[in-house]
Amino acid sequence: MNPLLQIKNLSVDFIAESGSTNALKNISFSVNRNEIVALVGESGSGKSVTSLSILQLLPSPPAKYSSGEILFSEDGNAVIDLLKRNRYEMQDIRGNKIAMIFQEPMTSLNPVLTCGDQVTEAIRLHKKVSNKEAKQKATEWFEKVKLPDPAGIFNRYPHQLSGGQKQRVMIAIAMCCEPSLLICDEPTTALDVTVQKTILQLIKELQQQSGMGVIFITHDLGVVAEIADRAVVMYNGEIVEQNTVREIFLHPQQPYTKALLACRPVNHERGKRLPVVSDFLTDRISNNEQGIMNDDLKFPDPPAGWTGFPIPKYQNDVLLSAQNLSVWFPANKTFFGKALSYTKAVNDVSFEVFKGETLGLVGESGCGKTTLGRTLLRLIEPTAGKIIYNNIDLTSKKRDELRSLRKDIQIIFQDPYSSLNPRITIGSAIAEPMKVHGMAATDKQRKDKVTELLEKVDLKAEHFNRYPHEFSGGQRQRIVIARALALNPSFLVCDESVSALDVSVQAQVLNLLNDLKKEFGFTIIFISHDLSVVRYISDRIMVMNKGKIEESGNADDIYFSPQSSCTQKLIASIPKGLIVN
């Protein structure tokens, strides 16, 4: 019997006026029925180009299939080459025999159609059923993907759902025609670890029920170990290694595979420098420094004889304190605008941040952590309570009075692209706050300072005159870090600043933050939903849930001996596939 899908010697080029880019280089792999094959690699490795090629979704031109075949055999006997199908034949295959779940559900779902209409549309496009039958089938699929209130969600629009719920709607759209092959393109990358875990379990469950084949694209080998049977590791448009997940984890053969495994903070002692991909590929790190090799690869256990660690005192020097802080947003209003009820995003929260420490703030989406971080900087106005920074009550200051304090308290936002002006160069973006606050006397002095900052974040002087779109995600994150540091702040809020990055780029940014903190001596509140990352970089951790602080303490105490059920749930959701039995 033929495999469900065979990719043979596939090469894809992108043709432009400036020249040709070889995106895929003679790759070959197969997917069987009832099997999950993971495509793993960094951004730019060719994972998504491979998946889009299967469904002929690459625009041609500029894409050109230079060589190879993509053979699909739905029944195990008849074989068709998808690259030789015309667009009408592909329309019958897409969504019907081969379906795809895209990375960002909000941009993949139609904002002007209800969720039910979008599933119904997919069913009626490929199945000869009445509108009533299609609606019934759509509601059944909402039940299968475990959406709460399936009948209610049928009539809701995408913006009315959470990220996890939107992803489930996408799964329902992809699965409603019962395809033989499902392609999942980074379906959990930006989700909380708890939501990610439920989505992974759901995909695995549906795959086992239907016996379909799955191609699961990700950059996180921890996720691969949770869900996949085999893994195909890609780098720079080539397949560098493919094997069973067990062999990939226990006996990785290639330096790049070892690098991807080693980059994950979950594999390292708190604060220890993370290896990065470039170090492995140039053999600059000895085996002992690589952190994980073969049988050393595992989820960390508490140190021998561990009974808990004391919270560092930091000389009891409090830099910032929140006192009974609350942020409420009106949920329902009368016709005249009077609030009838409130969403209590932050509800009577009190804590202290010591000078020189990194305080981790962790919790699921919607727990209030981002609202709290922005409120500390008065980017969101508090409903009640006080914020004391360096013995100054920020809540009593007017906006123009806060301006002089802005240079001391900075924030690094989650999405660096949306926080950079696309129409000004990154050099100007970094120099602008320096000019506003009167730092450096001349433009030349400011340019010299910006060049120095760029080099500190591993960028180059010639990048000064480039625009944000000319950089990768990891480079843009370094640019906004440089901009935040331009004013020599003493307090920095990092809001999900590594959550959407590849594990290798994430490692570089975490190393960079630790290095810069040692050099400049600033204090950090590090916000994330990933407890393994927070534990790696933080001295203390606070866990938020429904607007309140559930638990706080030393990072290792929280990680190895969580007391609240909320913290236990977050830790249980961390992919622990690094343990291979």
Side-chain angles (χ1 to χ4, degrees):
M1 180 178 284
N2 293 306
L4 178 62
L5 185 83
Q6 280 182 290
I7 294 181
K8 292 185 174 182
N9 306 313
L10 181 65
S11 294
V12 177
D13 296 331
F14 286 93
I15 312 299
E17 290 182 6
S18 57
S20 175
T21 302
N22 196 196
L24 291 181
K25 304 166 187 175
N26 204 40
I27 68 166
S28 299
F29 70 93
S30 63
V31 182
N32 296 310
R33 292 159 192 80
N34 201 28
E35 179 184 44
I36 298 180
V37 175
L39 287 186
V40 191
E42 300 172 273
S43 292
S45 62
K47 309 185 303 292
S48 292
V49 172
T50 302
S51 66
L52 294 172
S53 297
I54 293 170
L55 288 171
Q56 280 196 42
L57 291 176
L58 292 174
S60 182
K64 177 186 176 184
Y65 298 100
S66 308
S67 67
E69 301 172 303
I70 302 177
L71 305 177
F72 179 63
S73 176
E74 187 178 18
D75 60 4
N77 296 313
V79 178
I80 60 171
D81 185 350
L82 296 177
L83 293 180
K84 294 180 179 177
R85 301 295 102 178
N86 61 42
R87 63 190 183 108
Y88 300 106
E89 292 171 316
M90 288 305 299
Q91 282 176 1
D92 182 57
I93 291 171
R94 293 180 194 134
N96 186 21
K97 298 175 182 178
I98 303 175
M100 190 165 183
I101 303 169
F102 294 94
Q103 179 172 356
E104 179 46 67
M106 195 63 227
T107 56
S108 304
L109 293 169
N110 190 328
V112 299
L113 292 179
T114 66
C115 297
D117 285 342
Q118 295 185 60
V119 180
T120 303
E121 181 183 43
I123 294 169
R124 296 203 68 191
L125 182 64
H126 295 293
K127 306 293 181 184
K128 294 180 179 179
V129 296
S130 65
N131 193 44
K132 182 180 178 181
E133 290 173 315
K135 284 185 176 181
Q136 182 181 345
K137 194 172 179 68
T139 305
E140 289 172 0
W141 270 105
F142 283 160
E143 291 175 358
K144 287 182 181 180
V145 298
K146 301 178 182 176
L147 278 164
D149 186 21
I153 283 181
F154 187 98
N155 295 310
R156 289 185 201 166
Y157 292 88
H159 73 272
Q160 296 175 298
L161 307 183
S162 70
Q165 289 173 335
K166 286 195 283 276
Q167 199 60 279
R168 288 166 192 259
V169 172
M170 284 296 300
I171 294 172
I173 293 172
M175 292 291 298
C176 64
C177 294
E178 301 176 5
S180 301
L181 177 65
L182 179 65
I183 302 171
C184 305
D185 187 3
E186 301 265 18
T188 62
T189 295
L191 300 178
D192 289 344
V193 284
T194 49
V195 179
Q196 172 183 272
K197 188 177 181 71
T198 59
I199 295 295
L200 292 176
Q201 290 173 338
L202 175 61
I203 291 172
K204 184 81 171 177
E205 186 180 310
L206 292 172
Q207 180 263 334
Q208 290 174 341
Q209 289 173 2
S210 64
M212 66 182 172
V214 175
I215 296 176
F216 194 95
I217 298 169
T218 184
H219 60 254
D220 190 341
L221 273 166
V223 170
V224 170
E226 288 281 298
I227 194 171
D229 302 300
R230 286 192 296 120
V232 177
V233 183
M234 297 188 71
Y235 174 68
N236 196 27
E238 298 181 271
I239 292 175
V240 296
E241 186 168 358
Q242 56 179 309
N243 212 327
T244 64
V245 167
R246 180 183 179 85
E247 285 300 308
I248 288 286
F249 276 86
L250 279 181
H251 306 292
Q253 299 300 308
Q254 298 299 319
Y256 182 70
T257 311
K258 295 172 184 176
L260 286 179
L261 288 165
C263 286
R264 301 185 71 238
V266 74
N267 295 315
H268 293 274
E269 296 174 20
R270 181 158 57 89
K272 182 180 178 182
R273 189 168 186 82
L274 295 170
V276 296
V277 168
S278 58
D279 292 327
F280 278 78
L281 299 182
T282 56
D283 295 321
R284 289 204 300 261
I285 293 182
S286 68
N287 284 352
N288 289 334
E289 291 175 306
Q290 286 180 9
I292 52 163
M293 295 297 296
N294 300 336
D295 294 336
D296 294 330
L297 184 61
K298 62 180 182 178
F299 193 68
D301 295 319
W306 179 84
T307 57
F309 299 113
I311 296 175
K313 294 299 182 185
Y314 299 99
Q315 292 79 46
N316 290 320
D317 195 355
V318 176
L319 179 67
L320 179 140
S321 66
Q323 301 173 4
N324 307 108
L325 194 64
S326 293
V327 183
W328 295 5
F329 298 109
N332 294 297
K333 295 181 180 180
T334 65
F335 178 79
F336 296 102
K338 183 180 179 181
L340 296 173
S341 62
Y342 291 90
T343 298
K344 298 179 180 181
V346 178
N347 192 15
D348 196 26
V349 165
S350 298
F351 63 92
E352 294 177 330
V353 185
F354 298 104
K355 191 173 288 185
E357 78 168 330
T358 299
L359 176 65
L361 184 58
V362 69
E364 299 178 11
S365 285
C367 72
K369 56 187 187 297
T370 291
T371 300
L372 175 58
R374 296 188 180 194
T375 304
L376 294 177
L377 276 64
R378 285 280 304 274
L379 298 177
I380 294 175
E381 292 299 324
T383 305
K386 289 185 177 182
I387 305 162
I388 309 297
Y389 170 76
N390 235 355
N391 298 316
I392 299 170
D393 183 0
L394 298 184
T395 50
S396 68
K397 297 291 181 182
K398 295 179 180 178
R399 285 199 171 271
D400 56 344
E401 294 177 306
L402 283 172
R403 178 166 292 190
S404 62
L405 290 169
R406 289 291 182 204
K407 66 184 182 66
D408 292 326
I409 49 178
Q410 291 288 305
I411 185 168
I412 301 170
F413 294 100
Q414 179 173 358
D415 181 2
Y417 193 71
S418 63
S419 59
L420 289 168
N421 188 330
R423 293 189 288 182
I424 66 173
T425 65
I426 62 108
S428 298
I430 298 171
E432 184 179 35
M434 296 168 63
K435 192 171 184 177
V436 168
H437 288 278
M439 295 181 67
T442 66
D443 287 341
K444 184 182 185 305
Q445 288 177 341
R446 281 189 285 271
K447 185 172 183 178
D448 290 342
K449 175 68 174 175
V450 171
T451 301
E452 180 185 332
L453 283 168
L454 287 173
E455 290 172 349
K456 282 189 183 297
V457 298
D458 295 327
L459 293 170
K460 298 177 181 177
E462 56 261 35
H463 290 149
F464 186 98
N465 292 313
R466 294 188 188 175
Y467 291 86
H469 72 272
E470 298 180 82
F471 295 90
S472 68
Q475 288 174 321
R476 284 196 290 265
Q477 195 62 273
R478 290 182 223 168
I479 291 164
V480 296
I481 290 173
R483 183 177 63 178
L485 296 179
L487 300 175
N488 298 322
S490 55
F491 181 65
L492 196 60
V493 175
C494 300
D495 186 8
E496 298 274 15
S497 52
V498 298
S499 62
L501 300 178
D502 291 342
V503 284
S504 56
V505 179
Q506 180 188 85
Q508 293 171 21
V509 172
L510 292 175
N511 285 339
L512 175 63
L513 283 172
N514 277 333
D515 291 344
L516 294 172
K517 183 187 170 188
K518 289 175 185 175
E519 181 176 349
F520 292 98
F522 49 75
T523 302
I524 300 177
I525 287 184
F526 190 91
I527 300 171
S528 179
H529 60 254
D530 189 338
L531 230 167
S532 63
V533 170
V534 171
R535 176 229 168 219
Y536 166 77
I537 200 169
S538 303
D539 300 297
R540 288 191 299 135
I541 292 175
M542 293 195 310
V543 182
M544 279 195 79
N545 184 34
K546 297 178 180 177
K548 288 184 173 290
I549 304 296
E550 284 271 330
E551 186 173 0
S552 65
N554 177 278
D556 285 312
D557 285 338
I558 297 293
Y559 192 77
F560 291 123
S561 184
Q563 300 301 305
S564 76
S565 58
C566 172
T567 313
Q568 291 166 359
K569 182 181 177 184
L570 284 170
I571 291 174
S573 299
I574 297 170
K576 298 181 182 64
L578 297 178
I579 301 174
V580 184
N581 297 319

